Short mmCIF file of all heavy atoms in Angstrom, two decimals:
data_model
loop_
_atom_site.label_atom_id
_atom_site.label_comp_id
_atom_site.label_asym_id
_atom_site.label_seq_id
_atom_site.Cartn_x
_atom_site.Cartn_y
_atom_site.Cartn_z
N GLY A 78 35.09 -9.86 -26.49
CA GLY A 78 34.42 -9.02 -25.50
C GLY A 78 33.08 -9.55 -25.00
O GLY A 78 32.42 -8.90 -24.21
N GLY A 80 32.77 -12.19 -23.21
CA GLY A 80 32.97 -12.70 -21.84
C GLY A 80 33.36 -14.17 -21.80
O GLY A 80 33.16 -14.82 -20.76
N LYS A 81 33.93 -14.69 -22.88
CA LYS A 81 34.33 -16.11 -22.89
C LYS A 81 35.37 -16.39 -21.80
O LYS A 81 35.21 -17.32 -21.00
CB LYS A 81 34.96 -16.47 -24.25
CG LYS A 81 34.01 -16.38 -25.43
CD LYS A 81 34.67 -16.81 -26.72
CE LYS A 81 35.79 -15.91 -27.22
NZ LYS A 81 35.40 -14.51 -27.43
N THR A 82 36.41 -15.56 -21.73
CA THR A 82 37.46 -15.80 -20.78
C THR A 82 36.94 -15.65 -19.33
O THR A 82 37.25 -16.49 -18.48
CB THR A 82 38.62 -14.82 -21.01
OG1 THR A 82 38.98 -14.85 -22.40
CG2 THR A 82 39.83 -15.16 -20.17
N SER A 83 36.15 -14.59 -19.12
CA SER A 83 35.60 -14.38 -17.76
C SER A 83 34.71 -15.55 -17.34
O SER A 83 34.71 -15.97 -16.18
CB SER A 83 34.78 -13.09 -17.71
OG SER A 83 35.61 -12.00 -18.01
N GLY A 103 42.57 -19.92 -27.68
CA GLY A 103 42.86 -19.52 -29.06
C GLY A 103 42.80 -18.01 -29.17
O GLY A 103 41.93 -17.35 -28.62
N ASP A 104 43.77 -17.44 -29.87
CA ASP A 104 43.83 -16.02 -30.05
C ASP A 104 44.71 -15.74 -31.28
O ASP A 104 45.59 -16.54 -31.59
CB ASP A 104 44.41 -15.34 -28.82
CG ASP A 104 44.13 -13.84 -28.78
OD1 ASP A 104 43.07 -13.44 -28.30
OD2 ASP A 104 45.00 -13.06 -29.24
N ASP A 110 44.40 -13.81 -22.75
CA ASP A 110 43.40 -14.70 -22.17
C ASP A 110 44.06 -15.86 -21.43
O ASP A 110 43.65 -16.22 -20.32
CB ASP A 110 42.48 -15.26 -23.25
CG ASP A 110 41.60 -14.18 -23.86
OD1 ASP A 110 41.61 -13.05 -23.35
OD2 ASP A 110 40.92 -14.47 -24.85
N ARG A 113 45.27 -14.78 -18.10
CA ARG A 113 44.14 -14.61 -17.14
C ARG A 113 43.63 -15.93 -16.65
O ARG A 113 43.32 -16.12 -15.48
CB ARG A 113 43.00 -13.81 -17.80
CG ARG A 113 43.33 -12.34 -18.05
CD ARG A 113 42.16 -11.65 -18.77
NE ARG A 113 40.93 -11.74 -18.01
CZ ARG A 113 39.71 -11.68 -18.57
NH1 ARG A 113 39.58 -11.55 -19.88
NH2 ARG A 113 38.63 -11.74 -17.81
N GLU A 155 38.91 -22.23 -25.65
CA GLU A 155 38.37 -20.88 -25.97
C GLU A 155 38.72 -20.58 -27.42
O GLU A 155 39.86 -20.42 -27.77
CB GLU A 155 38.96 -19.81 -25.04
CG GLU A 155 38.38 -18.44 -25.42
CD GLU A 155 38.74 -17.30 -24.46
OE1 GLU A 155 39.25 -17.58 -23.33
OE2 GLU A 155 38.53 -16.15 -24.85
N ASN A 156 37.68 -20.50 -28.23
CA ASN A 156 37.88 -20.26 -29.69
C ASN A 156 38.24 -18.81 -29.94
O ASN A 156 38.10 -17.96 -29.04
CB ASN A 156 36.63 -20.68 -30.44
CG ASN A 156 36.94 -21.36 -31.75
OD1 ASN A 156 37.77 -20.85 -32.53
ND2 ASN A 156 36.35 -22.49 -31.99
MG1 MG B 304 38.77 -14.20 -24.37
#
Side-chain angles (χ1 to χ4, degrees):
K81 296 182 293 302
T82 310
S83 299
D104 196 86
D110 293 352
R113 289 177 59 205
E155 179 172 347
N156 219 310

